[in-house]
Amino acid sequence: ETGVTQSPTHLIKTRGQQVTLRCSSQSGHNTVSWYQQALGQGPQFIFQYYREEENGRGNFPPRFSGLQFPNYSSELNVNALELDDSALYLCASSQDAGSGNTIYFGEGSWLTVV
Amino acid sequence: SQQGEEDPQALSIQEGENATMNCSYKTSINNLQWYRQNSGRGLVHLILIRSNEREKHSGRLRVTLDTSKKSSSLLITASRAADTASYFCATEGIGNEKLTFGTGTRLTIIP
C-alpha cells in the first residue's frame, strides 16, 4: 500500500467521449505526476503538478489536461478520446518536486476506448 | 519516447538462482531508479542510485551504475516465485525531474 489511491480502477469509453480520472496523493505529498502505460510498454510521463500548478509536461497533446486541488489530489482529463488512448493511467505522488524524491504510485486506472 | 532499454525483454530462471537485468539510457541523469510491477498493477519503487554512486544494495537487490557507459544493472539474488514481475528502470534527467522509463524486463521465476 503506497497511500496513493486512484479511481475508477477500470472504465470503458467510446471514441470521441471525454474521461476524468482521479487521484488522491499520499498524505503530506504536494506533487502529483501522471503517466500513461500502453500494454507491453513502459510508463510515459504526461505531466506533473506541484502545489496546484503544472510543473512540466511530456509529449502529449492539449486534449490531455489536469488539475491539482488545494488538498493536493488531482484529476486527469482526456477529451476527444482516441482508440490509442487505451492504456493504464498511473498517478504518482512525492513529498516535493525536487530531484531524488521517492515517488509512490497508485494502482492505476485501466481505460479502454472502443 | 522511452529513454531506456532493458535487456533482456524476458527472463525465466529457476527459483533460487540469481537474476540480472540491464538498462541502457541515452542522456545525462541525476539518478536512476528501478521499479517492479506485478501484472497490470501499480509500480513499486525498489531502489534509487544517484549519478555519483557506482553500486547500491538493498536486501537481495544489488544495483550498479556506469555513467560512462550510460548503463545500469539490477541483480536479484536467491530468487523467489514472488519475484515474478516486470522490472523497469527509470532515469531522472538533469534539470528535469520527470521520470523516463525503459521498456521493462519480464521476469518469471519457476518454482
Side-chain angles (χ1 to χ4, degrees), chain A residues 58-74:
Chain A
N59 189 26
F60 280 81
R63 59 189 185 83
F64 285 77
S65 63
L67 281 174
Q68 187 178 33
F69 300 99
N71 66 355
Y72 301 133
S73 65
S74 178

Side-chain angles (χ1 to χ4, degrees), chain A residues 35 37 44 99-100 106-107 110, chain B residues 1 37 40-43 92 99 102:
Chain A
Y35 291 81
Q37 186 178 19
Q44 294 208 30
S99 173
E107 292 294 321
W110 276 105
Chain B
S1 63
Q37 184 177 41
R41 298 177 64 86
L43 294 154
E92 186 186 284
L99 287 179

